[in-house]
Amino acid sequence: MSLRGLVKHFDTRLAVSGVSLEVPAGSFFGLLGPNGAGKTTTLSMAVGLLRPDQGEAVLLGYDVWRAPAEAKALVGVLPDGVRMFDRLSGAELLAYHGLLRGMPADVVDQRARDLLDVLELGSGNRTLVVDYSAGMKKKIGLACALLHAPRLLVLDEPFEAVDPVSAALIRDILHRYVSGGGTVVFSSHVLEVVERLCSHVAIMSDGVLRMCGTLTEVRGERSLQDVFVQVVGGRVATGSELAWL
Amino acid sequence: MALTPTAGRVPVWAFVRLKLRITGNGLRGRPARIVMFVLGLVAACFFAILGHAVFALPGLLDRPEAGEILFPFGGAVLILGWVFLPLLFFGVDNTLDPAQFALLPLRRRTLITGMGAAALAGLPALATFAATLGMVTSAAQIGGFGAALAGFTGVVLGLLFCVVLSRAVISAFATALRSRRARDLATIMLAVVAASIGPLELTLLGVLNRADWESVEVIAQVTGWTPFGAPYTMGLDVAAGRAWAVPLKVLIVVIAVGGLLWWWSRTVEQAMVGAAGGPGRGRAGTSDGRGPVEQLLFRWSPRSRFGALTAREIRYWWRETRRRAALVTLGMAGVFLPLSTAFAGGAGSATGLAFVVGAIAPIALANQFGYEGSAYATNLATGVPGRLEVHSRAAAHALFTVPLLLLVAVVTAVLERRPADIAPQLGTLLATYGAGLALVMPISVRAAYALPDTTAPFSLSSGGGFSKTLPGVAALFGALIAGVPVLVLTLWWPWLGLPVGLVYGVGAYLLGAHLAGAMLDRRMPELLAAVTPR
């Protein structure tokens, strides 16, 4: 995935100002940043959900905005803060995704059953996704992104609201996917997860890319937490103010 | 040292100020909302002046006997309006949601008085007060100062009753509707009620036409002794020399208000906890052994993208409450419009009006992308071409609508006792439906707007909804006009109606769908942004 000079304004606010990013194939790429840094906006522009004011996004050699069909066919997306067709059951939702991707019905059936079983969502479970818990919604969203075996996964906050057991399961799935040759780009503000998983890291704040590189390059001798706080700025300790507490 | 804050006294006007501040902030920097607010202001002024004039008429004309009937009934209608209008149409004023106060150390009494005072400081309450003051004018004209004073007491008590009753009912609803299933059900029920208002009105008019005035007077007197009429008849009672009735009626209203306050304070506590309640349980437990694709698709759906899109749409028309409510309303309108006109008018009027149903039907699609909101991102991320999107949505809608149109054609023809009319009638309906679709499809792409991202049944429009629905209304009239040629044709050559109507409707639809598809291909991300609630 390669982003070149992406810019996005919302009304008068500059949400993303000129982000350029190279994600090497086969890497496990973590996009870090505090809330409101522009991570979701950047990833939305990268996968064709949001039209950038300037710049271009190239996925596996296809420009998302010039050759959308080819680019989108190779990418699996888990958007954050976006609803799914949640009045379908989990199985129905997967079938919908599979058929929209143009997959044959029997392949869809078999893969959907596999995913539902592995993610412990139950292939015969007729509960509507709208009644799922937050963690289950993340899992079914991930299943939808994986169903067509894409070569690139773009995941926005995949670990938010997920319980520790499911998070471990998702980590394992993603590890296996990367070691099988896939590329994962995901955003998070949970530093521990990023430190444990990623081969490459980028740090964003205020719509600008502050640092980018392999984990060891970015981290150096320090912990990722220290680097992050130093890059993003902001206070992490109190002085004498809250003495009454 | 930690200081434990005491449950201090919070003045009532703090709530009022909070509400006004929230209203003001909601308007800041949003011209559309300001326009809607001003429109609401104008409407409230209009209502206040009109109501005042109507209620002042018996006094100005010196006709107390007219007041004896008008005041209790008018007052009762106002009070019922306070209960049902927010539930059915306007959405509940949730500027001050009790759940937001759940964590604050407030006594229940403080909360109730504060919320009550805040509810009084709103356009509806002010307009109601101004309108009902007309009754005081009347009482002063007929019975002098004493009557005016009694009338004024009554009007103030009546306003209190309105506010407390509506707050209590809404609060009780809110607690009863905590699970999604209950809310879904309530939405459908409300749609049925709303759709049946028209037919009810016709029935009521018929009953009124036959009723004699003496029984009406008796009912008016009885109403005057219930909390619904009591506040509004005190002034006239004094004027008519029944001053002894006033303390009794005051007592009736005060007891009623007190009882409602008690009920409200009971439910408000549950409503405060409600926000933290868990999600409702769905159809868990029932297991389905079929494969995922079988579960999604219908037996006759093609195993393709088109099949998946239509199957999802069909399921959504049934499972998504707002859509189902739209279908229910359309069904009621489709059956009752021809029925009621056939009863009211002579032959021919039903045929003339039935084709309106064909134009109403596509309106449900005017904001079709708004229904599912940001879920459209799925179709965008998987790259569904615009034409396919439009066709699949129209196909799913037609699956529900075309049988309904057939039913309308049969019903009208049977009512008119001219079975031969079924075919031309269906032709006209199809022509208007097709033309309506052709107009509505591009509108749904260009003028989509976000619906609030909740399943709450009472928040159907996110404020200022009216101006956003204007394109849909325009499409309705456009479809009516477009259907006229076919209608005229069937008057001369009825046998041509069905084939020409079918060809005309399909042709118009294809043109509109082509346009909308091309438009959608250019505007997919913009459409997603438009329907994503902020």
Side-chain angles (χ1 to χ4, degrees), chain B residues 51-268:
Chain B
H52 193 100
V54 167
F55 286 132
L57 264 185
L60 296 175
L61 301 176
D62 200 23
R63 295 276 302 275
E65 72 280 1
E68 300 272 7
I69 293 171
L70 176 66
F71 291 2
F73 282 145
V77 167
L78 264 182
I79 293 173
L80 289 179
W82 266 85
V83 178
F84 287 109
L85 287 187
L87 295 186
L88 290 181
F89 300 112
F90 299 137
V92 178
D93 171 25
N94 248 347
T95 326
L96 294 190
D97 182 359
Q100 291 164 345
F101 298 99
L103 292 176
L104 296 178
L106 287 173
R107 290 208 186 85
R108 199 154 55 168
R109 179 187 291 264
T110 321
L111 187 65
I112 293 289
T113 29
M115 304 242 324
L120 280 175
L123 283 181
L126 293 178
T128 307
F129 188 59
T132 48
L133 275 181
M135 299 187 189
V136 181
T137 315
S138 270
Q141 292 279 338
I142 298 170
F145 180 71
L149 192 67
F152 184 73
T153 319
V155 164
V156 172
L157 281 176
L159 184 65
L160 276 182
F161 185 71
C162 284
V163 169
V164 174
L165 180 68
S166 104
R167 285 280 113 186
V169 168
I170 289 160
S171 170
F173 258 103
T175 42
L177 299 178
R178 243 180 276 167
S179 80
R180 181 184 65 78
R181 307 223 100 202
R183 284 197 302 265
D184 285 3
L185 196 67
T187 312
I188 309 299
M189 297 293 292
L190 285 174
V192 172
V193 171
S196 55
I197 281 179
L200 266 181
E201 209 175 49
L202 287 172
T203 327
L204 203 70
L205 278 179
V207 172
L208 275 183
N209 275 339
R210 265 165 247 152
D212 55 318
W213 280 105
E214 293 205 357
S215 58
V216 173
E217 274 170 31
V218 172
I219 300 174
Q221 271 178 5
V222 173
T223 315
W225 282 97
T226 63
F228 291 94
Y232 301 117
T233 48
M234 290 178 198
L236 286 182
D237 281 339
V238 173
R242 294 189 302 262
W244 52 269
V246 172
L248 287 179
K249 288 191 172 176
V250 169
L251 195 67
I252 290 177
V253 183
V254 167
I255 289 177
V257 170
L260 286 171
L261 277 176
W262 177 78
W263 186 35
W264 182 19
S265 69
R266 289 272 311 254
T267 52
V268 89

Side-chain angles (χ1 to χ4, degrees), chain B residues 277-298:
Chain B
R281 287 260 58 85
R283 294 181 293 175
T286 51
S287 178
D288 197 329
R290 294 174 301 162
V293 173
E294 292 288 312
Q295 286 180 41
L296 174 72
L297 295 184
F298 297 92

Side-chain angles (χ1 to χ4, degrees), chain B residues 209-477:
Chain B
N209 275 339
R210 265 165 247 152
D212 55 318
W213 280 105
E214 293 205 357
S215 58
V216 173
E217 274 170 31
V218 172
I219 300 174
Q221 271 178 5
V222 173
T223 315
W225 282 97
T226 63
F228 291 94
Y232 301 117
T233 48
M234 290 178 198
L236 286 182
D237 281 339
V238 173
R242 294 189 302 262
W244 52 269
V246 172
L248 287 179
K249 288 191 172 176
V250 169
L251 195 67
I252 290 177
V253 183
V254 167
I255 289 177
V257 170
L260 286 171
L261 277 176
W262 177 78
W263 186 35
W264 182 19
S265 69
R266 289 272 311 254
T267 52
V268 89
E269 208 145 87
Q270 288 166 308
M272 282 160 75
V273 185
R281 287 260 58 85
R283 294 181 293 175
T286 51
S287 178
D288 197 329
R290 294 174 301 162
V293 173
E294 292 288 312
Q295 286 180 41
L296 174 72
L297 295 184
F298 297 92
R299 222 170 302 146
W300 37 264
S301 317
R303 264 65 185 147
S304 65
R305 291 209 282 187
F306 180 74
L309 283 164
T310 7
R312 204 264 308 145
E313 274 287 300
I314 292 169
R315 297 205 184 281
Y316 257 62
W317 277 109
W318 194 246
R319 286 184 195 166
E320 219 266 341
T321 47
R322 289 185 280 225
R323 291 201 196 198
R324 206 193 318 181
L327 271 192
V328 167
T329 317
L330 176 64
M332 300 280 281
V335 175
F336 278 105
L337 202 64
L339 266 183
S340 51
T341 43
F343 281 132
S349 60
T351 325
L353 265 176
F355 92 117
V356 174
V357 178
I360 297 175
I363 299 304
L365 292 179
N367 191 26
Q368 53 176 339
F369 292 98
Y371 285 125
E372 68 239 19
S374 51
Y376 176 66
T378 301
N379 292 8
L380 179 49
T382 44
V384 178
R387 194 98 64 85
L388 190 64
E389 183 84 53
V390 170
H391 281 317
S392 65
R393 283 167 187 264
H397 187 250
L399 199 76
F400 286 100
T401 315
V402 171
L404 177 79
L405 296 183
L406 182 63
L407 182 73
V408 171
V410 171
V411 166
T412 41
V414 168
L415 280 176
E416 307 254 309
R417 298 199 180 75
R418 283 194 303 211
D421 277 3
I422 294 180
Q425 185 74 51
L426 185 62
T428 348
L429 282 168
L430 287 176
T432 38
Y433 179 54
L437 279 182
L439 291 168
V440 144
M441 284 295 170
I443 287 174
S444 74
V445 176
R446 284 306 295 212
Y449 56 93
L451 295 168
D453 203 359
T454 62
T455 47
F458 306 137
S459 51
L460 290 175
S461 62
S462 61
F466 178 69
S467 58
K468 295 173 189 161
T469 57
L470 274 182
V473 177
L476 170 78
F477 286 108

Side-chain angles (χ1 to χ4, degrees), chain A residues 10-235:
Chain A
F10 289 119
D11 295 332
T12 52
R13 202 169 60 84
L14 190 62
V16 171
S17 49
V19 166
S20 298
L21 197 64
E22 286 293 330
V23 177
S27 66
F28 206 132
F29 197 99
L31 185 57
L32 280 168
N35 297 323
K39 304 188 293 285
T40 297
T41 311
T42 306
L43 291 185
S44 296
M45 288 191 286
V47 297
L49 290 180
L50 186 68
R51 198 187 299 277
D53 296 337
Q54 276 174 47
E56 55 182 10
V58 178
L59 302 179
L60 304 161
Y62 296 102
D63 188 310
V64 180
W65 296 102
R66 294 211 190 91
E70 291 82 357
K72 285 170 181 175
L74 298 171
V75 183
V77 183
L78 170 67
D80 182 47
V82 162
R83 268 167 62 183
M84 286 169 278
F85 281 107
D86 52 15
R87 299 281 168 144
L88 300 178
S89 72
E92 287 169 350
L93 186 64
L94 278 175
Y96 180 66
H97 271 261
L99 291 174
L100 280 198
R101 298 273 187 194
M103 296 160 62
D106 51 331
V107 180
V108 174
D109 265 344
Q110 188 240 323
R111 287 191 188 173
R113 277 216 179 92
D114 276 1
L115 282 166
L116 288 169
D117 286 339
V118 169
L119 290 165
E120 295 179 315
L121 294 167
S123 58
N125 187 350
R126 294 184 61 195
T127 312
L128 300 187
V129 172
V130 67
D131 291 327
Y132 276 15
S133 67
M136 286 168 83
K137 280 182 186 157
K138 278 281 181 220
K139 286 202 275 186
I140 192 72
L142 183 68
C144 290
L146 289 168
L147 187 69
H148 60 295
R151 289 186 39 221
L152 171 66
L153 268 183
V154 179
L155 314 172
D156 198 356
E157 300 284 359
F159 295 102
E160 196 159 85
V162 176
D163 66 88
V165 178
S166 304
L169 180 66
I170 293 176
R171 278 202 303 271
D172 184 63
I173 292 173
L174 294 183
H175 255 308
R176 177 195 281 217
Y177 174 78
V178 172
S179 49
T183 311
V184 174
V185 180
F186 79 101
S187 74
S188 180
H189 48 237
V190 186
L191 299 174
E192 290 75 16
V193 175
V194 176
E195 207 159 15
R196 184 126 45 107
L197 285 177
C198 293
S199 59
H200 293 67
V201 178
I203 300 179
M204 272 188 89
S205 77
D206 299 326
V208 180
L209 203 63
R210 304 283 177 189
M211 281 184 98
C212 184
T214 63
L215 183 62
T216 36
E217 278 169 18
V218 169
R219 190 167 54 176
E221 294 297 301
R222 298 175 295 170
S223 77
L224 193 57
Q225 162 103 29
D226 292 342
V227 177
F228 183 80
V229 170
Q230 187 215 325
V231 168
V232 170
R235 62 193 288 185

